[in-house]
CSV table of all heavy atoms in Angstrom, one decimal:
chain,number,residue,atom,x,y,z
A,28,GLY,N,128.3,121.5,14.9
A,28,GLY,CA,129.3,121.4,16.0
A,28,GLY,C,128.7,121.5,17.4
A,28,GLY,O,129.1,120.7,18.3
A,29,TYR,N,127.7,122.3,17.5
A,29,TYR,CA,127.0,122.4,18.8
A,29,TYR,C,126.3,121.1,19.1
A,29,TYR,O,126.5,120.6,20.3
A,29,TYR,CB,125.9,123.5,18.7
A,29,TYR,CG,125.2,123.9,20.0
A,29,TYR,CD1,125.6,125.0,20.7
A,29,TYR,CD2,124.2,123.1,20.4
A,29,TYR,CE1,125.0,125.3,21.9
A,29,TYR,CE2,123.5,123.3,21.6
A,29,TYR,CZ,123.9,124.5,22.4
A,29,TYR,OH,123.3,124.7,23.6
A,30,MET,N,125.7,120.5,18.2
A,30,MET,CA,125.0,119.2,18.4
A,30,MET,C,126.0,118.1,18.7
A,30,MET,O,125.7,117.2,19.5
A,30,MET,CB,124.1,118.8,17.2
A,30,MET,CG,123.0,119.7,17.0
A,30,MET,SD,121.8,119.8,18.4
A,30,MET,CE,121.0,118.2,18.2
A,31,ALA,N,127.2,118.2,18.2
A,31,ALA,CA,128.3,117.2,18.5
A,31,ALA,C,128.6,117.3,19.9
A,31,ALA,O,128.7,116.3,20.7
A,31,ALA,CB,129.5,117.5,17.6
A,32,ASN,N,128.9,118.5,20.4
A,32,ASN,CA,129.4,118.7,21.8
A,32,ASN,C,128.3,118.3,22.8
A,32,ASN,O,128.6,117.7,23.8
A,32,ASN,CB,129.9,120.1,22.0
A,32,ASN,CG,131.3,120.3,21.6
A,32,ASN,OD1,132.1,119.3,21.5
A,32,ASN,ND2,131.7,121.5,21.2
A,33,VAL,N,127.0,118.7,22.5
A,33,VAL,CA,126.0,118.4,23.5
A,33,VAL,C,125.6,116.9,23.4
A,33,VAL,O,124.8,116.4,24.2
A,33,VAL,CB,124.7,119.3,23.4
A,33,VAL,CG1,125.1,120.7,23.6
A,33,VAL,CG2,124.0,119.1,22.0
A,34,GLY,N,126.1,116.2,22.4
A,34,GLY,CA,125.9,114.7,22.3
A,34,GLY,C,127.1,114.0,22.9
A,34,GLY,O,126.9,113.0,23.6
A,35,ILE,N,128.3,114.4,22.6
A,35,ILE,CA,129.5,113.6,23.0
A,35,ILE,C,129.7,113.7,24.5
A,35,ILE,O,129.9,112.6,25.1
A,35,ILE,CB,130.7,114.2,22.3
A,35,ILE,CG1,130.6,114.0,20.7
A,35,ILE,CG2,132.0,113.6,22.8
A,35,ILE,CD1,131.6,114.8,20.0
A,36,LEU,N,129.6,114.9,25.1
A,36,LEU,CA,130.0,115.0,26.5
A,36,LEU,C,129.1,114.2,27.4
A,36,LEU,O,129.5,113.5,28.3
A,36,LEU,CB,130.1,116.5,26.9
A,36,LEU,CG,131.4,117.1,26.3
A,36,LEU,CD1,131.3,118.6,26.3
A,36,LEU,CD2,132.6,116.7,27.2
A,37,PRO,N,127.7,114.3,27.2
A,37,PRO,CA,126.9,113.5,28.1
A,37,PRO,C,127.0,112.0,27.9
A,37,PRO,O,126.7,111.2,28.8
A,37,PRO,CB,125.5,114.0,27.7
A,37,PRO,CG,125.6,115.3,27.2
A,37,PRO,CD,126.9,115.3,26.4
A,38,ALA,N,127.5,111.6,26.7
A,38,ALA,CA,127.7,110.2,26.4
A,38,ALA,C,129.0,109.7,27.1
A,38,ALA,O,129.0,108.5,27.5
A,38,ALA,CB,127.8,109.9,24.9
A,39,LEU,N,129.9,110.6,27.2
A,39,LEU,CA,131.2,110.1,27.8
A,39,LEU,C,131.3,110.3,29.3
A,39,LEU,O,132.1,109.6,30.0
A,39,LEU,CB,132.4,111.0,27.2
A,39,LEU,CG,132.6,110.8,25.7
A,39,LEU,CD1,133.8,111.7,25.3
A,39,LEU,CD2,132.9,109.4,25.3
A,40,ALA,N,130.5,111.1,29.9
A,40,ALA,CA,130.6,111.4,31.3
A,40,ALA,C,129.2,111.6,31.9
A,40,ALA,O,128.3,112.3,31.3
A,40,ALA,CB,131.4,112.6,31.6
A,41,GLY,N,128.9,111.0,33.1
A,41,GLY,CA,127.6,111.1,33.7
A,41,GLY,C,127.8,111.2,35.2
A,41,GLY,O,128.9,111.6,35.7
A,42,LYS,N,126.7,110.9,35.9
A,42,LYS,CA,126.7,111.1,37.4
A,42,LYS,C,127.9,110.3,38.0
A,42,LYS,O,128.1,109.1,37.6
A,42,LYS,CB,125.4,110.6,37.9
A,42,LYS,CG,125.2,111.0,39.4
A,42,LYS,CD,123.8,110.6,39.9
A,42,LYS,CE,123.6,111.0,41.3
A,42,LYS,NZ,122.2,110.6,41.8
A,43,GLY,N,128.6,110.9,38.8
A,43,GLY,CA,129.8,110.3,39.5
A,43,GLY,C,131.1,110.5,38.8
A,43,GLY,O,132.2,110.2,39.3
A,44,ASP,N,131.0,111.1,37.5
A,44,ASP,CA,132.2,111.4,36.8
A,44,ASP,C,132.5,112.9,36.9
A,44,ASP,O,131.7,113.7,37.4
A,44,ASP,CB,132.1,111.1,35.3
A,44,ASP,CG,131.9,109.6,35.0
A,44,ASP,OD1,132.4,108.8,35.8
A,44,ASP,OD2,131.1,109.2,34.1
A,45,ILE,N,133.7,113.3,36.3
A,45,ILE,CA,134.1,114.7,36.4
A,45,ILE,C,134.5,115.2,35.0
A,45,ILE,O,135.1,114.4,34.3
A,45,ILE,CB,135.2,115.0,37.3
A,45,ILE,CG1,134.8,114.7,38.8
A,45,ILE,CG2,135.7,116.4,37.3
A,45,ILE,CD1,135.9,114.9,39.8
A,46,ILE,N,134.0,116.3,34.6
A,46,ILE,CA,134.5,117.0,33.4
A,46,ILE,C,135.3,118.2,33.8
A,46,ILE,O,134.8,119.1,34.5
A,46,ILE,CB,133.4,117.4,32.4
A,46,ILE,CG1,132.6,116.2,32.0
A,46,ILE,CG2,134.0,118.1,31.2
A,46,ILE,CD1,131.4,116.5,31.1
A,47,TYR,N,136.6,118.2,33.4
A,47,TYR,CA,137.5,119.4,33.6
A,47,TYR,C,137.4,120.2,32.3
A,47,TYR,O,137.8,119.8,31.2
A,47,TYR,CB,138.9,118.9,33.9
A,47,TYR,CG,139.0,118.0,35.1
A,47,TYR,CD1,138.9,116.6,35.0
A,47,TYR,CD2,139.2,118.6,36.4
A,47,TYR,CE1,139.0,115.8,36.1
A,47,TYR,CE2,139.3,117.8,37.5
A,47,TYR,CZ,139.2,116.4,37.4
A,47,TYR,OH,139.3,115.6,38.5
A,48,SER,N,137.0,121.5,32.4
A,48,SER,CA,136.7,122.3,31.3
A,48,SER,C,137.5,123.7,31.4
A,48,SER,O,137.4,124.3,32.5
A,48,SER,CB,135.2,122.6,31.1
A,48,SER,OG,134.9,123.4,30.0
A,49,ASP,N,138.2,124.1,30.4
A,49,ASP,CA,138.8,125.4,30.3
A,49,ASP,C,137.8,126.5,30.5
A,49,ASP,O,136.7,126.4,29.9
A,49,ASP,CB,139.6,125.5,29.0
A,49,ASP,CG,140.5,126.7,29.0
A,49,ASP,OD1,140.0,127.9,28.9
A,49,ASP,OD2,141.7,126.6,29.0
A,50,GLU,N,138.2,127.5,31.3
A,50,GLU,CA,137.2,128.6,31.5
A,50,GLU,C,136.8,129.4,30.3
A,50,GLU,O,135.7,130.0,30.3
A,50,GLU,CB,137.8,129.5,32.6
A,50,GLU,CG,139.0,130.3,32.1
A,50,GLU,CD,139.5,131.3,33.2
A,50,GLU,OE1,138.7,131.6,34.1
A,50,GLU,OE2,140.7,131.7,33.2
A,51,LEU,N,137.5,129.3,29.2
A,51,LEU,CA,137.2,130.0,28.0
A,51,LEU,C,136.6,129.1,26.9
A,51,LEU,O,136.5,129.5,25.7
A,51,LEU,CB,138.4,130.8,27.5
A,51,LEU,CG,138.9,131.9,28.4
A,51,LEU,CD1,140.0,132.7,27.7
A,51,LEU,CD2,137.7,132.8,28.9
A,52,ASN,N,136.2,127.9,27.3
A,52,ASN,CA,135.6,127.0,26.3
A,52,ASN,C,134.4,127.5,25.7
A,52,ASN,O,133.6,128.3,26.3
A,52,ASN,CB,135.3,125.6,26.9
A,52,ASN,CG,136.6,124.7,26.9
A,52,ASN,OD1,137.5,124.9,26.2
A,52,ASN,ND2,136.5,123.7,27.7
A,53,HIS,N,134.1,127.1,24.4
A,53,HIS,CA,132.9,127.5,23.7
A,53,HIS,C,131.6,127.1,24.4
A,53,HIS,O,131.5,126.2,25.2
A,53,HIS,CB,132.9,126.9,22.3
A,53,HIS,CG,131.9,127.4,21.4
A,53,HIS,ND1,130.6,126.8,21.2
A,53,HIS,CD2,131.9,128.5,20.6
A,53,HIS,CE1,129.9,127.5,20.3
A,53,HIS,NE2,130.6,128.5,19.9
A,54,ALA,N,130.5,127.9,24.1
A,54,ALA,CA,129.2,127.7,24.8
A,54,ALA,C,128.7,126.3,24.5
A,54,ALA,O,128.0,125.7,25.4
A,54,ALA,CB,128.2,128.7,24.3
A,55,SER,N,129.0,125.7,23.4
A,55,SER,CA,128.5,124.3,23.1
A,55,SER,C,129.2,123.3,24.1
A,55,SER,O,128.5,122.3,24.5
A,55,SER,CB,128.8,124.0,21.7
A,55,SER,OG,130.1,124.0,21.4
A,56,ILE,N,130.4,123.5,24.4
A,56,ILE,CA,131.1,122.6,25.4
A,56,ILE,C,130.4,122.8,26.8
A,56,ILE,O,130.1,121.9,27.5
A,56,ILE,CB,132.6,122.9,25.4
A,56,ILE,CG1,133.2,122.5,24.1
A,56,ILE,CG2,133.2,122.2,26.6
A,56,ILE,CD1,134.7,122.8,24.1
A,57,ILE,N,130.2,124.1,27.1
A,57,ILE,CA,129.6,124.4,28.4
A,57,ILE,C,128.2,123.7,28.5
A,57,ILE,O,127.9,123.1,29.5
A,57,ILE,CB,129.5,125.9,28.6
A,57,ILE,CG1,130.9,126.6,28.7
A,57,ILE,CG2,128.7,126.2,29.9
A,57,ILE,CD1,130.8,128.1,28.6
A,58,ASP,N,127.4,123.8,27.5
A,58,ASP,CA,126.1,123.2,27.5
A,58,ASP,C,126.2,121.7,27.5
A,58,ASP,O,125.4,121.0,28.2
A,58,ASP,CB,125.3,123.7,26.3
A,58,ASP,CG,124.9,125.2,26.5
A,58,ASP,OD1,125.1,125.8,27.6
A,58,ASP,OD2,124.3,125.7,25.5
A,59,GLY,N,127.1,121.1,26.8
A,59,GLY,CA,127.3,119.7,26.9
A,59,GLY,C,127.7,119.2,28.3
A,59,GLY,O,127.2,118.2,28.7
């Protein structure tokens, strides 16, 4: 699951985009 989040999020959003993340999200989401 960790590898999924650190792969999916950088693929979906990059420089110039925004990710809105809940403050209590899992560490894998934060790292992604």
Side-chain angles (χ1 to χ4, degrees):
Y29 187 100
M30 295 299 284
N32 278 332
V33 300
I35 295 165
L36 285 160
L39 296 181
K42 190 174 181 181
D44 297 326
I45 296 181
I46 299 177
Y47 300 92
S48 179
D49 189 290
E50 66 179 338
L51 295 187
N52 276 342
H53 189 264
S55 59
I56 293 177
I57 295 168
D58 288 354

